[in-house]
Amino acid sequence: MDLDALGSFLRKRRDRVRPQDVGVAVGPRRRVPGLRRDEVALLAGASTDYYIQLERGDAQPSEQMLAALSRALRLTHDERDYLFQLAGRSLPSATGPSAHVPPAMLDLLDRLQTTPAMVITDLHVTLVQNPLARALLGAPVAAKGPRASFLYRWFTEPEARQIYPENEHDHHTRALVADLRAVVGRRGRDSDVRTMVDNLLRYSEEFTDLWEQQDVAIRRDDRKRLLYPPLGVIDLNCLALHSADGLHRLLWFTAPPGTAAVEQLELLAVIGLQQLDTGTTAPQAQPPHG
């Protein structure tokens, strides 16, 4: 652990990130080409005072904060690993809540300002959301291990299904199982995948019955009808862009032209973002995934 070196590394990386590259508005009186400390803190979900402590070498950040800083500063995979080593933290799982997100995928997410969008892992762990996705779907569950996965909660916590109309639960259940079977085919020897399957076989008879059918289908797109209490049922297309290694998926939700969902998304941009600004959200289950 070398917190002084960590602070120096953060300062250097902050200086090289252009505000416009991470969705930060640039005013006419800006004096620095890179990010300010308060801007990095905002992007990472930290207080400005705490971030200043990090740059001074006066604090040891958690694994979750290191992951957030890596995303805020658009660190490469190697730079992310170096940051964790300086902080004296073990490298996180490649598909856990603190997993690295490819900078190019984050750049694309930043450009999706008018539609809900998010990045998840192939095991359906939410890594990052844009404001509209957070307004529509709620914040990710603060959990580690299998429970961080929406897929796991779908079969072990009935409330996870409440965001969908009940008559569509069977469709999503079968799609999730077939998608997991495809993940097993690609990296079934990885411990996180084995743990996921073993736990679901142990705790869910429904999953076990479907798993034995051996259906295989990567979930690349779908039509999703989401229950959002202030606006009713929102009928959206959900599209997925997969990373080259298959570990990450960028999901974005669009309204079919000429449907009621077009106006509903416009209202979401007003109602939902106002709720985020006041620290409240509509009661709902955790987010659906592609």
Side-chain angles (χ1 to χ4, degrees):
M1 179 173 59
D2 189 339
L3 297 183
D4 287 336
L6 182 143
S8 177
F9 183 68
L10 289 175
R11 288 193 299 273
K12 292 295 185 182
R13 290 301 170 270
R14 173 169 62 83
D15 289 342
R16 79 174 187 179
V17 179
R18 299 189 308 166
Q20 57 267 37
D21 291 338
V22 292
V24 174
V26 180
R29 298 183 179 180
R30 190 177 190 88
R31 297 180 180 179
V32 295
L35 293 176
R36 297 193 298 259
R37 292 182 180 87
D38 62 311
E39 291 168 341
V40 177
L42 180 62
L43 290 169
S47 71
T48 302
D49 288 343
Y50 178 71
Y51 180 76
I52 290 173
Q53 290 181 41
L54 292 177
E55 286 204 355
R56 289 175 176 172
D58 294 335
Q60 182 186 22
S62 67
E63 178 183 299
Q64 293 77 16
M65 179 52 60
L66 290 167
L69 290 168
S70 298
R71 294 164 191 166
L73 296 172
R74 297 299 190 266
L75 300 187
T76 66
H77 200 287
D78 292 338
E79 291 168 340
R80 188 287 306 260
D81 289 356
Y82 180 65
L83 186 68
F84 270 75
Q85 290 161 0
L86 290 177
R89 301 293 187 184
S90 299
L91 296 181
S93 163
T95 55
S98 297
H100 181 67
V101 181
M105 193 166 277
L106 288 172
D107 290 343
L108 183 54
L109 179 66
D110 285 337
R111 286 161 174 75
L112 296 172
Q113 298 293 326
T114 60
T115 190
M118 60 198 294
V119 177
I120 67 171
T121 72
D122 61 350
L123 292 181
H124 301 265
V125 176
T126 299
L127 300 180
V128 61
Q129 301 166 301
N130 71 4
L132 278 177
R134 193 177 185 91
L136 175 64
L137 306 171
V141 168
K144 295 183 178 181
R147 192 172 175 271
S149 163
F150 175 75
L151 166 65
Y152 180 80
R153 297 194 306 276
W154 179 268
F155 289 99
T156 60
E157 301 177 16
E159 59 271 20
R161 305 188 179 195
Q162 293 175 358
I163 200 166
Y164 289 125
E166 186 174 356
N167 63 353
E168 297 179 8
H169 289 181
D170 182 66
H171 163 73
H172 295 298
T173 298
R174 292 178 179 276
L176 286 167
V177 174
D179 185 81
L180 180 58
R181 177 71 73 171
V183 173
V184 168
R186 188 179 67 254
R187 59 183 195 94
R189 295 183 180 180
D190 292 358
S191 61
D192 56 342
V193 178
R194 294 199 307 270
T195 298
M196 176 69 69
V197 174
D198 290 346
N199 276 286
L200 288 173
L201 289 173
R202 182 179 300 115
Y203 297 119
S204 174
E205 182 177 347
E206 179 187 28
F207 175 84
T208 300
D209 291 342
L210 289 173
W211 190 250
E212 292 175 352
Q213 296 182 21
Q214 299 195 31
D215 292 331
V216 183
I218 296 175
R219 206 171 189 182
R220 295 184 173 89
D221 57 71
D222 205 351
R223 190 75 170 259
K224 294 182 183 291
R225 299 177 68 243
L226 306 176
L227 299 175
Y228 183 73
L231 300 176
V233 178
I234 307 179
D235 193 344
L236 300 171
N237 291 320
C238 177
L239 305 173
L241 174 68
H242 294 239
S243 62
D245 59 12
L247 295 178
H248 303 92
R249 303 173 184 184
L250 172 63
L251 308 182
W252 68 100
F253 301 83
T254 63
T259 67
V262 174
E263 182 177 355
Q264 286 174 310
L265 281 187
E266 293 174 351
L267 290 172
L268 174 69
V270 178
I271 298 173
L273 296 185
Q274 285 178 343
Q275 290 173 338
L276 289 182
D277 289 340
T278 59
T280 61
T281 56
Q284 54 194 294
Q286 285 302 308
H289 294 97

